[in-house]
Amino acid sequence: MEFLSIPRATLALNYLDTNSTTHASPFSAIAELVDNAYDADAATLEINLVQHFGDYYLEFKDNGTGMSQEEVAKTILFGHSKKTSEKIGRYGNGMKSGGFNLGRELFMITKRDDIYTCLLISHAFHADNEITDEVLCPCVSMDNYGNPMENTARKFPWTLEEHEKELEIIMKYAPLRGRSLQEMLGRLTDKTGTLIIIAHLKKTGNDGKMLGIALNGNDIETRAEDATQSERSLREYLSILYLYPKMRIILCEELVEPKKICANWIGRYHSDMSASPFNDGHNKNVADTISVRDRLQQQINGYTTDTQYRNELAQTVDQVKSTRTHFNRILTPLQADLATCERILQDLQNANRKKTFKVIMGCDIQDRENNGMHFYINNRLITWGHKSAIFRSNATNTLGISLYVNVGYDVFSPTHNKQSFESQNDFKLLVKKCNALLNIYQKVMEYQWIPNHLKRQWNYQLKQDEDVWAQFWLKYGYTDATTPNLPRRALTDEAKRMVVKFCGVWLLCQSCKTWRCTDGTIPPREHPYFSCTAIHKVCYPSRSFVGTDPETKVTQVLPAQAPLPPPPVTPARRIVFEPRHQSPVDRMAANRDLGGRRMAERSVEEARRHLPRIKRTPTPEIDVVGEVEDEDSQPVEVDPTDFDESDPPGVPLIVKNEQVQVRRSVEVVDLVDDEEEQADDDQEQEDDEERVNNVQEVRPQKVYAKKPAGTKVSRRRQHDSSSDDSFGEEEEEASPKKVKTEPSTSSQRLKSTVKPAVSRPGAPDGQVLISKEHLDNYNQFLVWFNTTPISSGSKRVIDVAQMIETRQGMINREKRTAVALGDLADRVLDEFQKHSRATGIRVPARGQFGSALERLTTVNANITEAKRRKTARK
Ligand SMILES: [Zn+2]
């Protein structure tokens, strides 16, 4: 038997098998055939798995546009497609690769313009005739009554004999299940449509006898063992196959209800992503289109040459005419294709690579195991549940977290089997970028959305250290937040209400095919017939459905940066006062166990406890620096209004302490016991001797200071000026505004009245007096200290404050340690002299703390006492 004139696929039959193995699962092969119907603009597609005498047949019947003879002829050419970039099945490969993945016999009847065209690709036929090196595809056309029709897509002129020969093969090998061909043609009841029957379904399993798919009620299941429940069901897969479905799919005589991929996502956010970085696939696309164009051009050239050759051979005018008619039929569509190709190429080259696409994120609360990244290209699901780095590294907190992207062909292309991206470079980049978004999203959810949701909707306040996710999942029926395949408990009524409230019920309008988010008031039985008008929305049946993105209207924009974790809620810090009988030695020893910082804080805090005893009149702009006593030693409040506004800025303070030497650093000295401190004291002695020469006696009575500009106010201090008692968690609330609104004079304004120093008798030998004046000055200093903003030297100041605190305790409790006061005051002053240079704030003059002689005596006595005590202890 010879089949010279039968149209031939350009490749050997085993290529079909190789080609079809690219499908990882039978569902993706089925999806290819679904795509064909989708691209043919079918309104309805019926998929059936039929059993006949122990054999299974898979049938796909759609009422799409059907195919002309030329188009059928092209389906058996590899790599050819008339489908433009708007279509999903760009490569025209779907029917072959999908079909031959499922079975070994493929029979197609398609109807258009009242012409039925049948095509058979059969392994059995090739085996029986020992044809191995080419694929013969019998193809016949008939009219409504089964009368033979000329096949106009033939390279060689059509004859009736060939028609009958091919029809014979079809009748013999086509999977007609005992029916006549006429009966099969009659199944295409619509004006146009296509019926594809796949027979001799491939078997898998160890014994090779089990089908890869099985009928399960009104569903088809795959037998793949590693599939999750939703990956196992064809119905589930088809329900999300298209982001914007426009075709009703009837699977095993039951309608597949389309499901919006984000229908059960709570806490939805979206973000825009620029298409410009994804160039790899685009460049390939351009190259591909150019090659298709070149091939078309070659074909046209070939046919043109054929025409010329035949014309030369022609004997009669009629022969010339028939040749011309024949080749025009072939050439016209080719030229149309070439024009389309040119247009696509132009579109690609002019494509706006700057455009953006939407990335939508959410948390799947219906089935959290379905999490991952879902990628659609041109509305068609390509990759489902892809797990990027965040899902692997942070598995416990990413359950349910999902993302989907729908991009156009102008940005990405799928591989031929439409199971992944053609450009893996682009895909990796996309996953990386999506991963970054999910990182932000996860933190937004954990730190903001879920705590707010629990608080506002569930009236549940998270406690300290409570697992946000665990509490969240508990509300939605999962008893823990870490086990992926944990069985879910039935939702409470409240949870169901939340699901409806926050996820909405997504329904597809049957006339305009737009997704609408409804409030759940439409009863489920009306879902398949839902229309926009049911929720009083305008319906536009003629609108192009692809690209409408209603979900961005109900999502929030994802922030560009991840939020910071909420501050830990710590109980207000409490200062524990040691019992009064505790000696300073014990106290210092106890303090040493605390960290240095902590110790300083404690000391300052404790020192402040004593402050309320001193009257102060703080004002927003003028801080009272000091408080003086009048002649009768009665406290007099400083009048803050007694501020000399006329005093021009920059006028130096009338204190004559410019010459005062400043010590480099101040150590906290424990007078009572320490070897090192003794050495330090020796050093101090020398310092003091020097200092004495420089000190002049100036006694300011009133010192006012205005906060200079740029002075950084310690938060702690700022806080304290408003409240002396509470301390701790409100620290964070120190308002930076307050600093800004302070007067911006560059120099401080001070006013001081200088009084001549009161002459004082020296202390008697061997006896150290703590004078009232000392204490007054000390208190005065403390007021100043606590009301003056301090700057970056605050660490030092805290040291000083700690020292003050220590000393004050000693003065108050133990008179014998009061000798340190004079020394202390000097140290403090030194420190503040230094400080005043940095901040421009003047400090009280040194002289007010006593005469040089007295101080020297004090220091000497101090050291003697310390030494004496030390030896006594030994
Ligand atoms: Zn509508």
PDB file of all heavy atoms in Angstrom, residues 748-760:
ATOM      1  N   GLN A 748      23.896  81.116  74.200  1.00  0.00           N
ATOM      2  CA  GLN A 748      22.999  81.117  75.353  1.00  0.00           C
ATOM      3  C   GLN A 748      22.920  82.509  75.952  1.00  0.00           C
ATOM      4  O   GLN A 748      23.765  83.353  75.719  1.00  0.00           O
ATOM      5  CB  GLN A 748      23.507  80.100  76.363  1.00  0.00           C
ATOM      6  CG  GLN A 748      24.470  80.603  77.404  1.00  0.00           C
ATOM      7  CD  GLN A 748      25.795  81.087  76.856  1.00  0.00           C
ATOM      8  OE1 GLN A 748      26.039  80.988  75.654  1.00  0.00           O
ATOM      9  NE2 GLN A 748      26.619  81.615  77.703  1.00  0.00           N
ATOM     10  N   ARG A 749      21.837  82.699  76.632  1.00  0.00           N
ATOM     11  CA  ARG A 749      21.719  83.988  77.314  1.00  0.00           C
ATOM     12  C   ARG A 749      21.752  83.737  78.813  1.00  0.00           C
ATOM     13  O   ARG A 749      21.004  82.934  79.333  1.00  0.00           O
ATOM     14  CB  ARG A 749      20.400  84.643  76.935  1.00  0.00           C
ATOM     15  CG  ARG A 749      20.337  84.964  75.461  1.00  0.00           C
ATOM     16  CD  ARG A 749      18.998  85.488  75.149  1.00  0.00           C
ATOM     17  NE  ARG A 749      18.946  85.808  73.735  1.00  0.00           N
ATOM     18  CZ  ARG A 749      17.929  86.462  73.196  1.00  0.00           C
ATOM     19  NH1 ARG A 749      16.936  86.856  73.945  1.00  0.00           N
ATOM     20  NH2 ARG A 749      17.933  86.725  71.929  1.00  0.00           N
ATOM     21  N   LEU A 750      22.590  84.412  79.424  1.00  0.00           N
ATOM     22  CA  LEU A 750      22.738  84.192  80.850  1.00  0.00           C
ATOM     23  C   LEU A 750      22.807  85.529  81.565  1.00  0.00           C
ATOM     24  O   LEU A 750      23.197  86.541  81.016  1.00  0.00           O
ATOM     25  CB  LEU A 750      24.024  83.417  81.131  1.00  0.00           C
ATOM     26  CG  LEU A 750      24.022  81.960  80.721  1.00  0.00           C
ATOM     27  CD1 LEU A 750      25.421  81.437  80.788  1.00  0.00           C
ATOM     28  CD2 LEU A 750      23.094  81.170  81.610  1.00  0.00           C
ATOM     29  N   LYS A 751      22.368  85.442  82.718  1.00  0.00           N
ATOM     30  CA  LYS A 751      22.469  86.660  83.520  1.00  0.00           C
ATOM     31  C   LYS A 751      22.881  86.238  84.917  1.00  0.00           C
ATOM     32  O   LYS A 751      22.356  85.286  85.467  1.00  0.00           O
ATOM     33  CB  LYS A 751      21.108  87.351  83.572  1.00  0.00           C
ATOM     34  CG  LYS A 751      21.142  88.672  84.295  1.00  0.00           C
ATOM     35  CD  LYS A 751      19.740  89.210  84.378  1.00  0.00           C
ATOM     36  CE  LYS A 751      19.716  90.451  85.218  1.00  0.00           C
ATOM     37  NZ  LYS A 751      18.343  90.853  85.520  1.00  0.00           N
ATOM     38  N   SER A 752      23.819  86.903  85.416  1.00  0.00           N
ATOM     39  CA  SER A 752      24.176  86.539  86.781  1.00  0.00           C
ATOM     40  C   SER A 752      24.553  87.785  87.568  1.00  0.00           C
ATOM     41  O   SER A 752      25.112  88.730  87.036  1.00  0.00           O
ATOM     42  CB  SER A 752      25.330  85.544  86.795  1.00  0.00           C
ATOM     43  OG  SER A 752      26.543  86.235  86.784  1.00  0.00           O
ATOM     44  N   THR A 753      24.161  87.710  88.735  1.00  0.00           N
ATOM     45  CA  THR A 753      24.515  88.819  89.607  1.00  0.00           C
ATOM     46  C   THR A 753      25.647  88.347  90.513  1.00  0.00           C
ATOM     47  O   THR A 753      25.548  87.302  91.146  1.00  0.00           O
ATOM     48  CB  THR A 753      23.329  89.199  90.484  1.00  0.00           C
ATOM     49  OG1 THR A 753      22.190  89.278  89.650  1.00  0.00           O
ATOM     50  CG2 THR A 753      23.562  90.520  91.170  1.00  0.00           C
ATOM     51  N   VAL A 754      26.669  89.102  90.504  1.00  0.00           N
ATOM     52  CA  VAL A 754      27.824  88.663  91.264  1.00  0.00           C
ATOM     53  C   VAL A 754      27.858  89.405  92.595  1.00  0.00           C
ATOM     54  O   VAL A 754      27.696  90.617  92.665  1.00  0.00           O
ATOM     55  CB  VAL A 754      29.115  88.941  90.482  1.00  0.00           C
ATOM     56  CG1 VAL A 754      30.322  88.484  91.261  1.00  0.00           C
ATOM     57  CG2 VAL A 754      29.035  88.268  89.140  1.00  0.00           C
ATOM     58  N   LYS A 755      28.016  88.638  93.577  1.00  0.00           N
ATOM     59  CA  LYS A 755      28.112  89.225  94.915  1.00  0.00           C
ATOM     60  C   LYS A 755      29.515  88.985  95.430  1.00  0.00           C
ATOM     61  O   LYS A 755      30.109  87.952  95.139  1.00  0.00           O
ATOM     62  CB  LYS A 755      27.111  88.547  95.861  1.00  0.00           C
ATOM     63  CG  LYS A 755      25.963  89.462  96.266  1.00  0.00           C
ATOM     64  CD  LYS A 755      24.925  88.703  97.037  1.00  0.00           C
ATOM     65  CE  LYS A 755      25.298  88.536  98.479  1.00  0.00           C
ATOM     66  NZ  LYS A 755      24.250  87.864  99.267  1.00  0.00           N
ATOM     67  N   PRO A 756      30.043  89.891  96.201  1.00  0.00           N
ATOM     68  CA  PRO A 756      31.368  89.616  96.753  1.00  0.00           C
ATOM     69  C   PRO A 756      31.329  88.411  97.676  1.00  0.00           C
ATOM     70  O   PRO A 756      30.340  88.174  98.356  1.00  0.00           O
ATOM     71  CB  PRO A 756      31.701  90.893  97.547  1.00  0.00           C
ATOM     72  CG  PRO A 756      30.485  91.720  97.562  1.00  0.00           C
ATOM     73  CD  PRO A 756      29.505  91.192  96.599  1.00  0.00           C
ATOM     74  N   ALA A 757      32.386  87.672  97.598  1.00  0.00           N
ATOM     75  CA  ALA A 757      32.437  86.454  98.398  1.00  0.00           C
ATOM     76  C   ALA A 757      32.427  86.793  99.877  1.00  0.00           C
ATOM     77  O   ALA A 757      33.012  87.773 100.310  1.00  0.00           O
ATOM     78  CB  ALA A 757      33.698  85.676  98.068  1.00  0.00           C
ATOM     79  N   VAL A 758      31.739  86.001 100.564  1.00  0.00           N
ATOM     80  CA  VAL A 758      31.690  86.196 102.012  1.00  0.00           C
ATOM     81  C   VAL A 758      32.953  85.600 102.605  1.00  0.00           C
ATOM     82  O   VAL A 758      33.325  84.468 102.294  1.00  0.00           O
ATOM     83  CB  VAL A 758      30.459  85.484 102.605  1.00  0.00           C
ATOM     84  CG1 VAL A 758      30.387  85.724 104.091  1.00  0.00           C
ATOM     85  CG2 VAL A 758      29.212  85.972 101.902  1.00  0.00           C
ATOM     86  N   SER A 759      33.584  86.349 103.417  1.00  0.00           N
ATOM     87  CA  SER A 759      34.821  85.815 103.999  1.00  0.00           C
ATOM     88  C   SER A 759      34.460  84.767 105.040  1.00  0.00           C
ATOM     89  O   SER A 759      33.504  84.918 105.795  1.00  0.00           O
ATOM     90  CB  SER A 759      35.623  86.959 104.624  1.00  0.00           C
ATOM     91  OG  SER A 759      34.968  87.425 105.779  1.00  0.00           O
ATOM     92  N   ARG A 760      35.200  83.724 105.023  1.00  0.00           N
ATOM     93  CA  ARG A 760      34.862  82.624 105.907  1.00  0.00           C
ATOM     94  C   ARG A 760      36.098  82.224 106.691  1.00  0.00           C
ATOM     95  O   ARG A 760      37.187  82.215 106.174  1.00  0.00           O
ATOM     96  CB  ARG A 760      34.387  81.433 105.112  1.00  0.00           C
ATOM     97  CG  ARG A 760      33.168  81.713 104.291  1.00  0.00           C
ATOM     98  CD  ARG A 760      33.007  80.599 103.304  1.00  0.00           C
ATOM     99  NE  ARG A 760      33.131  79.317 103.966  1.00  0.00           N
ATOM    100  CZ  ARG A 760      32.111  78.713 104.573  1.00  0.00           C
ATOM    101  NH1 ARG A 760      30.944  79.282 104.589  1.00  0.00           N
ATOM    102  NH2 ARG A 760      32.278  77.563 105.142  1.00  0.00           N
TER     103      ARG A 760
END
